[in-house]
C-alpha cells in the first residue's frame, strides 16, 4: 500500500518508522524541521553549548514505549539526563515565594525550601489526583465535581491547586475546575503524602528533537516532504489525493492524520461525507501558548536561593512557567511561557508558539467517538490528543495502535512491544 501521513511530530514519525519497509510512505510536514512540539534550540553560554527545548522537554525512562523507541532509534541511557523536579510558586511582584519544593536529585545547600500550607495543598492535589486515577473516573467528571478539599482556603485552591494544572495546560486558573478530573489527575497522581516532589524528571541531552532526527534517518521506503502542508484531501475512486498548499499532489491508498485535531478537520473540509468526523475533531479545544528561550532571569524569583527547575508565576488569573536549565545542565538558560505576561524577557534567543489541547469532558467524548471511527474508509488518526493523557508516551502508543492495523507484525513493531 501507499500510505500518506500528515504531520512529522512524535506520533507521525513513529507511525512512519513502524510502517516504512512494509509500505510506501509519503510523509508531509508543514514546518521546516521534524519533531512537532519537540523543538530544540542551541544556545552558546560561558558553560558551553546548551540545547533548551521550547516545547516538550520532560521525558522519562519510565515511559515504556517511548524508551524502547528511543533505544531502537540508536539513543542510549547516556542520552538522558536526570533533572531535579523542584518547583517554586509565587505571585508576580512578591519577593517571597509561597512554595519552594526540595530538589530531588541533590539538594543545594544555598537553597531555601519553603513548604507550609502551600505544600499541604499541593499534597492534597497529588492525593486527590491518585484517587481519581484509582477510581478510574469517567472523563465526563470535572475537577469541580470530583474534588474533595472543603477545608482549603480559596486562595490556596486558586494559587496552588488550580494554578499548577493551569500552568501545565496553558488555560486560565478559573478554567481548571471545568477540566476533566481524569485528564488533570494523570499529571499529578501521587499516592503517598510526601515532603518532596515526584521522582526526578529527565531531559534528552541535546534536546528532545534529537529523537525526531534519529527516526527520520531510519525511514525506508518513505518520501519525506518538509514545508509541505496538507491543504485538502479528496477521494479518487478507491484512493485519496492529498494536496499540499503549494498545489503538489500525492495519490495514496490510506491516510494517517498525525496533525492536531483542528488541522485534520481543516484538511477534511474538502472530503465529501466527512462532516461527522469534522464535528468530532472540532470538539477538541486548543489553547495557544507562546514560549521564549532567554539568558536573563526573567520569570525567576528575585532571590537565587528560591530558584527551582520549574518556577510558576501567578498573575492576573494566569500561571506561567519559567524552566531553569541550571540544576540539570549547569547554565543560566531559561525557557518561559510568555503568552499572557506584560513584561518580556530582556535577552531572548528564540521564540515559538504551540497549540495545546485541553483535557475537557467534551474532548473525552470526542476521543471515544474518534476511536470508533479509526480506519473507516481508509482514514486514521494518531497523536497525543487521541489519548487521555497527552505525553510523548501517548503519541507513541497512538502510533503503535494504528500501525498494528496497517501492517503485519514486523521487527519494528516487535522492537516496541517486546520487553
Ligand atoms: C508546549 C508543549 C510542551 C509539552 N511538553 C511535554 C513534555 O515535556 N513531556 C511530554 O511527554 N509531553 C509534552 N507535551 C505533550 C506531547 O508530548 C506533545 O504535544 C507531543 O509532541 C505531541 O506529539 P504529536 O505527534 O501528537 O503532535 P505534534 O507534536 O503537535 O505534531 C504534529 C505535527 O503536525 C504538523 N502539521 C500540522 N498541520 C499540518 C498539515 N496540515 N500538514 C502537514 N503537517 C501538519 C505540525 O507542524 C507538527 O509537526 C507538550 C506539549 C506542548 C504543546
Amino acid at each position: 500500500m501507499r500510505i500518506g501521513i500528515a504531520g512529522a511530530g512524535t506520533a507521525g514519525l513513529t507511525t512512519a518508522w513502524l510502517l516504512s519497509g512494509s509500505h510506501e510512505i509519503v510523509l508531509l510536514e508543514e514546518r521546516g524541521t521534524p519533531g512537532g512540539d519537540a523543538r530544540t534550540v542551541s544556545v552558546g553560554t560561558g558553560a558551553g553549548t546548551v540545547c533548551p527545548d521550547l516545547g516538550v522537554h520532560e521525558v522519562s525512562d519510565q515511559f515504556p514505549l517511548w524508551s524502547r523507541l528511543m533505544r531502537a532509534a540508536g539513543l542510549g541511557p547516556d542520552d538522558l539526563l536526570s533533572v531535579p523536579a523542584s518547583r517554586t510558586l509565587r505571585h508576580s511582584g512578591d519577593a517571597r515565594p509561597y512554595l519552594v519544593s526540595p530538589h530531588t536529585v541533590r539538594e543545594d545547600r544555598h537553597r531555601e525550601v519553603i513548604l507550609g500550607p502551600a505544600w499541604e495543598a499541593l499534597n492534597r492535589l497529588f492525593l486527590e489526583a491518585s484517587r481519581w486515577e484509582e477510581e478510574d473516573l469517567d472523563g465526563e467528571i470535572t475537577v469541580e465535581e470530583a474534588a474533595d478539599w472543603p477545608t482549603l482556603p480559596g486562595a490556596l485552591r486558586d494559587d496552588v491547586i488550580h494554578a499548577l494544572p493551569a500552568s501545565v495546560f496553558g488555560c486560565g486558573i478559573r478554567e481548571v475546575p471545568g477540566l476533566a478530573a481524569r485528564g488533570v489527575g494523570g499529571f499529578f497522581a501521587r499516592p503517598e503524602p510526601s515532603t518532596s516532589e515526584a521522582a526526578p524528571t529527565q531531559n534528552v541531552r541535546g534536546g528532545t528533537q534529537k529523537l525526531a532526527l534519529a527516526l527520520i534517518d531510519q525511514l525506508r521506503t518513505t518520501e519525506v516532504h518538509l514545508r509541505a502542508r496538507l491543504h485538502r484531501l479528496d477521494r479518487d475512486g478507491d484512493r485519496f489525493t492529498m494536496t499540499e498548499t503549494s498545489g503538489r499532489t500525492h495519490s495514496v491508498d490510506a491516510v494517517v492524520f498525525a496533525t492536531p485535531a483542528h488541522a485534520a478537520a481543516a484538511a477534511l473540509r474538502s472530503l465529501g461525507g466527512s462532516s461527522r468526523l469534522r464535528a468530532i475533531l472540532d470538539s477538541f479545544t486548543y489553547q495557544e501558548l507562546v514560549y521564549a528561550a532567554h539568558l536573563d532571569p526573567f520569570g525567576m524569583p528575585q532571590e537565587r536561593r528560591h530558584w527551582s527547575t520549574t518556577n510558576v508565576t501567578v498573575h492576573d488569573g494566569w500561571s506561567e512557567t519559567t524552566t531553569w536549565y541550571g540544576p540539570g545542565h549547569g547554565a543560566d538558560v531559561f525557557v518561559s511561557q510568555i503568552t499572557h505576561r506584560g513584561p518580556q524577557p530582556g535577552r531572548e534567543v528564540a521564540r515559538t508558539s504551540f497549540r495545546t489541547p485541553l483535557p475537557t469532558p467534551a474532548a473525552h467524548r470526542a476521543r471515544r467517538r474518534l476511536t470508533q471511527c479509526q480506519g473507516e474508509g481508509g482514514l486514521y488518526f494518531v497523536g497525543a490528543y487521541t489519548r487521555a493523557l497527552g505525553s510523548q508516551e501517548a503519541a507513541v502508543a497512538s502510533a503503535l495502535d494504528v500501525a498494528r492495523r496497517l501492517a503485519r507484525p514486523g521487527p519494528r513493531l516487535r522492537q516496541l512491544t517486546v520487553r
Side-chain angles (χ1 to χ4, degrees), residues 6-12 28-31 35-38 54-58 63 228-230 258-260 263 289 291 354-356 383-385 390-392 395:
T10 303
L28 305 184
E29 167 52 49
E30 173 176 37
R31 295 171 58 82
D37 294 337
L54 288 165
V56 180
H57 62 286
E58 288 186 5
F63 287 168
R229 177 169 171 270
L230 175 63
T259 66
L289 290 179
Y291 280 75
F354 301 90
R355 291 184 74 184
T356 181
Y385 78 94
S391 68
Q392 288 290 285

Side-chain angles (χ1 to χ4, degrees), residues 5-14 27-39 53-60 63 66 168-169 187 201-203 208 225 227-232 242-245 257-264 266-267 286-287 289-291 337 352-357 382-386 389-396 398:
I5 301 176
T10 303
L13 286 168
T14 307
L27 177 58
L28 305 184
E29 167 52 49
E30 173 176 37
R31 295 171 58 82
T33 53
D37 294 337
R39 297 184 202 168
D53 278 303
L54 288 165
V56 180
H57 62 286
E58 288 186 5
V59 291
S60 169
F63 287 168
W66 183 88
V168 168
F169 300 113
F187 278 90
T201 177
Q202 287 169 311
N203 293 165
T208 48
H225 299 278
R227 292 195 178 80
R229 177 169 171 270
L230 175 63
H231 170 58
R232 60 180 290 156
M242 297 170 85
T243 306
E244 297 177 25
T245 311
F257 282 98
T259 66
H262 55 86
Y286 281 79
Q287 195 78 30
L289 290 179
V290 185
Y291 280 75
Q337 290 173 335
T352 190
S353 66
F354 301 90
R355 291 184 74 184
T356 181
V382 297
Y385 78 94
T386 65
L389 199 65
S391 68
Q392 288 290 285
E393 180 72 2
V396 177
S398 71

Side-chain angles (χ1 to χ4, degrees), residues 47-318:
T49 300
V50 178
C51 297
D53 278 303
L54 288 165
V56 180
H57 62 286
E58 288 186 5
V59 291
S60 169
D61 55 13
Q62 305 297 310
F63 287 168
L65 296 173
W66 183 88
S67 297
R68 281 178 220 144
L69 179 69
M70 188 189 86
R71 283 195 298 276
L75 307 186
D78 288 349
D79 288 295
L80 290 182
L81 178 72
S82 279
V83 175
S86 55
R87 201 180 329 242
T88 296
L89 262 78
R90 69 185 181 104
H91 280 287
S92 134
D94 280 3
R96 190 167 171 82
Y98 48 88
L99 178 81
V100 179
S101 72
H103 273 346
T104 40
V105 173
R106 60 181 174 279
E107 193 48 86
D108 172 346
R109 65 189 170 85
H110 301 297
R111 284 181 90 238
E112 182 193 4
V113 170
I114 303 174
L115 297 176
W119 182 255
E120 281 166 31
L122 199 60
N123 261 309
R124 292 289 289 271
L125 171 63
F126 294 153
L127 295 177
E128 277 292 285
S130 303
R131 182 174 66 79
W132 301 339
E133 277 220 309
E134 207 172 286
E135 293 176 6
D136 197 15
L137 286 193
D138 188 272
E140 296 284 344
I141 298 172
T142 62
V143 168
E144 189 165 30
E145 288 160 349
D148 179 23
W149 34 65
T151 56
L152 280 181
L156 280 181
R157 203 171 302 174
D158 277 351
D159 292 351
V160 179
I161 288 186
H162 293 160
L164 218 53
S167 70
V168 168
F169 300 113
C171 62
I173 290 172
R174 291 288 157 101
E175 288 176 76
V176 172
L179 299 181
R182 192 77 172 86
V184 173
F187 278 90
F188 298 104
R190 288 259 306 283
E192 298 293 333
S194 152
T195 52
S196 74
E197 289 282 355
T201 177
Q202 287 169 311
N203 293 165
V204 177
R205 284 181 206 277
T208 48
Q209 213 173 347
K210 194 160 146 185
L211 175 59
L213 299 172
L215 289 172
I216 280 269
D217 273 353
Q218 291 193 1
L219 295 180
R220 299 165 296 192
T221 60
T222 303
E223 281 174 33
V224 180
H225 299 278
L226 298 177
R227 292 195 178 80
R229 177 169 171 270
L230 175 63
H231 170 58
R232 60 180 290 156
L233 188 67
D234 294 279
R235 224 176 259 286
D236 179 12
D238 289 347
R239 311 197 83 203
F240 293 99
T241 302
M242 297 170 85
T243 306
E244 297 177 25
T245 311
S246 66
R248 181 166 52 181
T249 59
H250 308 271
S251 179
V252 295
D253 300 294
V255 176
V256 179
F257 282 98
T259 66
H262 55 86
L268 281 168
R269 221 174 284 138
S270 50
L271 191 75
S274 66
S275 56
R276 189 169 74 98
L277 257 182
R278 280 185 283 128
I280 296 173
L281 293 164
D282 282 336
S283 304
F284 291 92
T285 309
Y286 281 79
Q287 195 78 30
E288 173 106 23
L289 290 179
V290 185
Y291 280 75
H294 49 98
L295 299 174
D296 58 320
F298 168 87
M300 296 299 286
Q302 281 174 19
E303 296 188 50
R304 200 174 172 105
R305 66 197 170 115
H306 296 144
W307 288 13
S308 291
T309 302
T310 303
N311 304 271
V312 179
T313 304
V314 174
H315 69 94
D316 312 311
W318 301 99

